[in-house]
Amino acid sequence: MYCLGGRSAAWGLFSPRIHDSTLKNRFPKNVNEALWSKWYTKAEKLFMLSLPQTGTIHRHTMERLNMAAQQLSLSLDVQWQWGRIASEFRDERNFDFAEGAYSTIDKLLEIAMSKPKIREVVSDDGKTKVTRDLELEHENFKILINAEAHRLKVNKSTKKFEGVYVRDASGEEYLIEGKEVVLAAGSVESPTILLRSELNLPNSVGKITDHDILYWTAPFRYTRPGRREEVGSMKLQTYVNLGGGHVALGNMSVDASSFLPRGESPDEDMPKFIMVFILQNPLVQDSSITLDENGKPIVKIVRYIHDEERSQLVRMQELTFASIRSMKETLGLEFVGEPGDAKDIGFKYLELGGVAHELGTLPMPNKNKDNAYCVDEDLKLAGGYEGIYVCDLSVFPYSPEANPTLTLAALSLRLSRYLTRDTYFEKKDNETVSVVNRTGKKLQVWLSNRSNAPNDERGYTIMGPGDLKEWKRVHGKPESLFVFKPDQTSKEGEEKYLAEPELLVAHPGVVTAIY
């Protein structure tokens, strides 16, 4: 998919964090600390992560699965729990969704369609005045359709970014001048744009890597009438210790929609059981991205060979077999083609690139900073270049065991703060409550005055995107900030806000940001 920003339409539903050991051992220290202390939480709030409705049968099933894993005596460190979903909608039937997944395109279009308006006078004869709403273009935001970012213009002597050459649908090229650019075209197109720009890049460019995903599927029946409706769909996740310092992410799908092949079944209406393991691995040095004579990318992607693949496979087989037996006993399942032993479970490999997790073509430094990195820890292009940043999966220095979507979103929020650091407000004094609107939308806010500060401004305040509002209050006494967000059901041109506010705590001497 080549839509707004590479493959951004394909952002995933399941959004786990990368395991803390992987971040600690494979990513720069300050990036690891920033993600865990702040940006993961903000990304999860942006995604509106939610958990499904949990009934007694679901809690019992997860408890029995965890007990079954503990009895294996393999130190797998398994803790099955619901997979967290990046979705704006929840349904009574768990994990049975066809819409509502988080999408960057949705966010971009939301901004594009909320243009500011002014009232324009069409005619005025002195008796009757005819007006209309006139939409204005956003001052700092514009989407160009049918346009491809082709290469950058960079001053060869100063190494400063000067603009982007863009091609329209006919192939004609135009220059858009600027001082800074963020490449977010994906793990193939971002390095391709830089290669076309003929920059002096390290030899680590293009080491495109995808983690191995192993899966096993089987159809099943419920032996108890009505149990299928009671249980509904389940998708569970756990980290799994595979030994040798390797952690995998285990995913279990029970009668739920899945992107994976569902296997052969005597009846397509039968529910399916799917067990998936996502492995981690270093960037593959034999992979590459080069250009052909027409400037098109030539991609060579090589599968990583795990030195301990056999021992890891045995652990995955044992956990899967134990899970099958637990599900049989707990839910009364009868599997078609049930394996007689753990070694009978034959995992299949998902093809490389099958879930759009390929990454690492413009990596940041690793923990020890001993790799040939392409961007620094602030995602700025290395080599002395100015004004060029990269923010997509290409910047990962390692292929983690988890869907990388949430981590990329956290990195993008962190980069946005870095790029707009000069526009961020400092606290005024210890007797001023400062509030800034970072939502990109108009808000209605009201601040309490529990401290009975003099000269208080009563009433509601409308805050536009990026606006700062200050109130005098008493130092050391927190106040309640009521935030009323726009009512999405209001008619066009109507300024209406939700009746129920979000409640924040605002402290004098601190800048409170609304996201």
Side-chain angles (χ1 to χ4, degrees):
M1 289 174 285
Y2 295 95
C3 301
L4 298 175
R7 299 176 70 168
S8 60
W11 285 54
L13 280 164
F14 288 95
S15 303
R17 297 184 178 192
I18 294 175
H19 193 270
D20 53 358
S21 65
T22 306
L23 271 180
K24 181 179 179 181
N25 297 325
R26 304 297 182 177
F27 284 70
K29 180 180 179 181
N30 65 340
V31 173
N32 167 35
E33 292 177 348
L35 292 180
W36 277 100
S37 65
K38 184 175 186 178
W39 299 111
Y40 264 147
T41 301
K42 291 189 178 296
E44 288 165 348
K45 185 176 181 181
L46 174 70
F47 275 25
M48 302 178 71
L49 286 186
S50 63
L51 292 173
Q53 301 293 334
T54 305
T56 302
I57 186 64
H58 303 125
R59 286 193 296 270
H60 181 57
T61 300
M62 286 184 268
E63 290 170 359
R64 300 300 299 179
L65 284 168
N66 291 328
M67 291 175 62
Q70 292 170 5
Q71 292 170 2
L72 292 174
S73 302
L74 292 174
S75 300
L76 297 176
D77 301 331
V78 165
Q79 188 63 45
W80 288 106
Q81 55 189 346
W82 287 120
R84 295 183 304 170
I85 300 297
S87 175
E88 297 181 23
F89 302 96
R90 297 180 64 170
D91 192 274
E92 292 181 358
R93 183 168 170 80
N94 293 335
F95 300 110
D96 185 18
F97 35 71
E99 61 180 347
Y102 179 83
S103 167
T104 49
I105 291 179
D106 180 61
K107 288 291 180 183
L108 292 170
L109 292 180
E110 183 179 298
I111 298 172
M113 296 169 65
S114 61
K115 294 181 179 180
K117 297 178 181 179
I118 62 170
R119 182 71 66 176
E120 181 188 44
V121 177
V122 178
S123 63
D124 186 356
D125 59 6
K127 295 181 180 180
T128 305
K129 182 186 292 187
V130 180
T131 64
R132 66 179 179 184
D133 284 333
L134 179 65
E135 285 190 342
L136 302 177
E137 292 294 333
H138 286 288
E139 183 179 356
N140 298 310
F141 182 88
K142 187 175 181 63
I143 292 177
L144 299 180
I145 61 174
N146 298 320
E148 176 192 4
H150 191 251
R151 59 191 174 95
L152 307 182
K153 180 183 180 182
V154 179
N155 188 300
K156 291 187 177 181
S157 59
T158 65
K159 291 191 172 183
K160 289 185 177 181
F161 168 77
E162 295 181 345
V164 180
Y165 288 100
V166 175
R167 286 186 173 180
D168 64 14
S170 68
E172 189 170 352
E173 198 169 78
Y174 302 87
L175 174 64
I176 300 175
E177 296 180 336
K179 294 182 179 180
E180 289 180 319
V181 65
V182 179
L183 291 178
S187 292
V188 173
E189 292 300 324
S190 284
T192 298
I193 290 170
L194 293 178
L195 289 171
R196 290 195 195 109
S197 306
E198 300 181 350
L199 305 184
N200 185 20
L201 302 172
N203 59 10
S204 57
V205 170
K207 308 303 180 184
I208 189 165
T209 302
D210 194 8
H211 44 206
D212 278 335
I213 298 180
L214 288 78
Y215 67 96
W216 182 83
T217 68
F220 66 89
R221 302 180 183 89
Y222 282 101
T223 58
R224 306 175 194 176
R227 179 53 66 91
R228 182 176 187 180
E229 183 176 349
E230 177 188 0
V231 175
S233 298
M234 294 182 66
K235 282 201 172 184
L236 307 178
Q237 289 187 333
T238 181
Y239 296 108
V240 183
N241 177 17
L242 295 182
H246 292 279
V247 175
L249 183 68
N251 294 269
M252 183 189 301
S253 173
V254 181
D255 197 11
S257 57
S258 175
F259 60 86
L260 292 171
R262 297 175 64 81
E264 296 182 2
S265 174
D267 184 350
E268 284 303 314
D269 291 331
M270 289 184 67
K272 305 295 190 303
F273 174 91
I274 306 176
M275 181 72 92
V276 181
F277 292 95
I278 305 177
L279 309 186
Q280 56 173 276
N281 52 259
L283 302 185
V284 179
Q285 299 304 305
D286 290 335
S287 294
S288 65
I289 295 178
T290 56
L291 300 181
D292 66 12
E293 57 185 11
N294 297 315
K296 298 291 185 181
I298 301 173
V299 180
K300 174 187 175 184
I301 182 167
V302 179
R303 185 183 295 278
Y304 177 77
I305 304 299
H306 293 265
D307 294 334
E308 301 176 350
E309 186 169 0
R310 180 56 196 163
S311 62
Q312 292 176 358
L313 182 61
V314 169
R315 285 172 168 254
M316 290 185 282
Q317 288 174 321
E318 292 286 353
L319 178 59
T320 302
F321 189 64
S323 299
I324 291 172
R325 289 183 297 177
S326 177
M327 298 293 278
K328 285 182 61 179
E329 296 171 0
T330 306
L331 298 179
L333 306 188
E334 183 179 89
F335 288 88
V336 176
E338 179 181 340
D341 193 81
K343 65 178 181 294
D344 296 331
I345 295 175
F347 286 103
K348 295 181 180 180
Y349 283 86
L350 189 67
E351 65 275 12
L352 294 175
V355 289
H357 293 177
E358 58 273 14
L359 46 72
T361 52
L362 296 167
M364 68 173 79
N366 58 22
K367 175 186 176 182
N368 300 320
K369 301 183 181 180
D370 56 3
N371 60 325
Y373 55 88
C374 297
V375 299
D376 64 18
E377 296 169 23
D378 294 318
L379 308 188
K380 180 181 177 182
L381 188 65
Y385 291 99
E386 294 293 331
I388 304 174
Y389 298 84
V390 184
C391 192
D392 52 34
L393 293 184
S394 67
V395 304
F396 280 52
Y398 189 80
S399 183
E401 72 292 327
N403 180 323
T405 300
L406 182 69
T407 303
L408 177 57
L411 288 172
S412 70
L413 292 173
R414 176 175 175 264
L415 176 61
S416 69
R417 170 62 64 88
Y418 177 80
L419 293 176
T420 58
R421 59 196 180 278
D422 293 337
T423 67
Y424 270 75
F425 303 100
E426 299 293 335
K427 66 178 184 179
K428 192 170 185 179
D429 56 56
N430 288 332
E431 294 185 344
T432 300
V433 172
S434 302
V435 176
V436 62
N437 178 9
R438 294 295 184 194
T439 66
K441 304 175 183 178
K442 272 188 178 182
L443 301 174
Q444 181 177 263
V445 301
W446 182 84
L447 185 73
S448 68
N449 187 11
R450 299 168 60 193
S451 57
N452 293 317
N455 302 319
D456 178 44
E457 294 182 31
R458 294 290 180 177
Y460 295 97
T461 299
I462 302 298
M463 297 183 66
D467 283 357
L468 174 74
K469 175 64 179 175
E470 296 174 336
W471 295 265
K472 282 294 183 182
R473 291 296 185 266
V474 175
H475 176 60
K477 294 189 177 181
E479 300 288 350
S480 299
L481 179 67
F482 294 80
V483 180
F484 299 85
K485 294 191 172 180
D487 186 345
Q488 302 297 333
T489 64
S490 58
K491 298 178 181 178
E492 186 177 354
E494 182 183 12
E495 196 169 286
K496 186 178 177 183
Y497 299 91
L498 296 174
E500 294 294 327
E502 292 185 9
L503 184 61
L504 302 177
V505 178
H507 296 267
V510 176
V511 178
T512 301
I514 305 172
Y515 290 98

